[in-house]
Amino acid sequence: MNVTIKNEFASVTCQTHGAELLSYRTASGKEYMWQKDPAYWAKCSPVLFPYVGPVPETVTVGGDAFAIPRHGFVKDREFEIAEQGEDYVILQTKADEQTMAVYPYDFVFFVTFRLEGGKLNVVYGVSNQGKKEMPFLIGGHPGFFCPMEEGEKFEEYLLHFEDEEKEDVHLNYPMFDNDAILFENFKRHTVNLVHQDTKKGIRFDFPDYLSVAFWTPIKKDAPFLCIEPWCAGTLDQVPNTNMEEKKYVQRLAPGTAKDYRFSVCPV
């Protein structure tokens, strides 16, 4: 089921299947979210939990091997609407026999979409309902049109970080020939995806995440770029599927919860 929230500045549509963000559109009708096209990528914004990355066979958790799928299983879960207003919605899923078979922890997972003026705030909330410490990886995977205006080219866009020591990254397709690129060690957790001349585009804030990856499909010249905030491993750790050995693995004590926020707005 699709759910739409709106205010005078923007409208947002998500779906209960996977709590996937489908559309982020300004009041004037401009769409920023990549629209699913199987020729390039048949997703818009999958939610990554409790694992981030490919899984050749199994993921090791607590010394045992589990068949957690690539990027976790939350993206394939049907969520319930926990709360909804005109400009926000909170979706929820929780552990059951199916999840316990591949991830033996009693969790509740919330996804909140909330409009604040023209800005979209997204919160992934994790709650440990069990009696043992719960390790997990978590991340977002939203895709945005790039280029964003007719007549522009992908190569005319750049990534501008608000950390002064991080240089601008001018986009080109070959830089993604080996898959995603990742940045870490932030002081200011903000990146702007903008056209090099007009400086128009989007601002992306990820205050609760420890790294951010960028991805577009290999050698497809796809007209979009994913901005992926992660608390997960680094790219050199991809072959290691022991969750608890991953850099930035998260841990929740029994009875505790934590929120992971990101936001996007036009600039």
Side-chain angles (χ1 to χ4, degrees):
M1 181 177 71
N2 288 358
V3 180
T4 297
I5 61 174
K6 61 183 179 179
N7 62 16
E8 62 180 306
F9 302 101
S11 65
V12 167
T13 298
C14 63
Q15 64 181 13
T16 53
H17 184 77
E20 186 174 11
L21 175 63
L22 302 178
S23 172
Y24 168 49
R25 187 186 299 266
T26 64
S28 64
K30 181 171 181 55
E31 178 66 69
Y32 284 93
M33 296 299 302
W34 165 248
Q35 299 298 288
K36 300 180 179 183
D37 182 349
Y40 297 105
W41 188 49
K43 295 283 189 178
C44 289
S45 181
V47 181
L48 315 184
F49 175 88
Y51 193 76
V52 176
V55 181
E57 294 181 1
T58 57
V59 173
T60 301
V61 188
D64 295 319
F66 295 95
I68 299 177
R70 177 187 179 93
H71 288 330
F73 50 70
V74 158
K75 66 186 185 327
D76 302 312
R77 301 278 294 172
E78 186 66 26
F79 281 66
E80 298 177 351
I81 298 175
E83 189 177 332
Q84 184 177 2
E86 185 176 0
D87 61 358
Y88 76 96
V89 64
I90 303 174
L91 306 176
Q92 171 188 306
T93 190
K94 56 186 177 181
D96 58 19
E97 289 185 2
Q98 184 180 16
T99 67
M100 284 287 190
V102 296
Y103 181 66
Y105 297 92
D106 189 3
F107 69 89
V108 178
F109 193 93
F110 296 92
V111 177
T112 301
F113 298 104
R114 188 183 302 270
L115 284 166
E116 178 187 351
K119 179 170 69 172
L120 170 61
N121 295 311
V122 181
V123 182
Y124 297 166
V126 187
S127 175
N128 182 358
Q129 303 290 302
K131 297 181 179 180
K132 57 183 177 180
E133 183 181 72
M134 185 173 75
F136 60 91
L137 309 180
I138 189 169
H141 202 311
F144 301 97
F145 279 119
C146 185
M148 298 181 191
E149 300 290 348
E150 189 174 349
E152 295 177 344
K153 298 180 180 179
F154 183 88
E155 293 84 356
E156 294 172 351
Y157 276 74
L158 59 84
L159 300 169
H160 173 70
F161 298 95
E162 293 204 350
D163 277 17
E164 293 182 358
E165 63 270 24
K166 285 184 166 58
E167 296 182 356
D168 291 348
V169 177
H170 291 262
L171 297 181
N172 61 75
Y173 287 116
M175 70 171 55
F176 299 98
D177 282 354
N178 294 316
D179 213 346
I181 58 175
L182 181 139
F183 295 82
E184 55 185 333
N185 302 318
F186 288 94
K187 295 177 182 176
R188 303 181 67 181
H189 294 231
T190 299
V191 63
N192 294 285
L193 171 62
V194 294
H195 188 273
Q196 62 187 10
D197 296 327
T198 68
K199 307 305 180 186
K200 297 286 188 180
I202 57 171
R203 171 190 173 110
F204 191 92
D205 294 289
F206 51 104
D208 301 310
Y209 293 89
L210 299 170
S211 65
V212 61
F214 303 93
W215 175 83
T216 193
I218 296 172
K219 297 183 178 179
K220 286 190 176 182
D221 292 1
F224 72 91
L225 182 74
C226 288
I227 303 178
E228 306 180 39
W230 288 357
C231 286
T234 48
L235 295 178
D236 61 319
Q237 290 186 306
V238 168
N240 181 358
T241 55
N242 187 330
M243 179 187 292
E244 293 173 272
E245 293 180 357
K246 294 283 191 176
K247 190 175 185 180
Y248 307 133
V249 62
Q250 302 294 285
R251 301 178 187 275
L252 276 183
T256 63
K258 186 174 180 179
D259 288 342
Y260 297 82
R261 300 164 293 163
F262 68 83
S263 65
V264 58
C265 64
V267 293

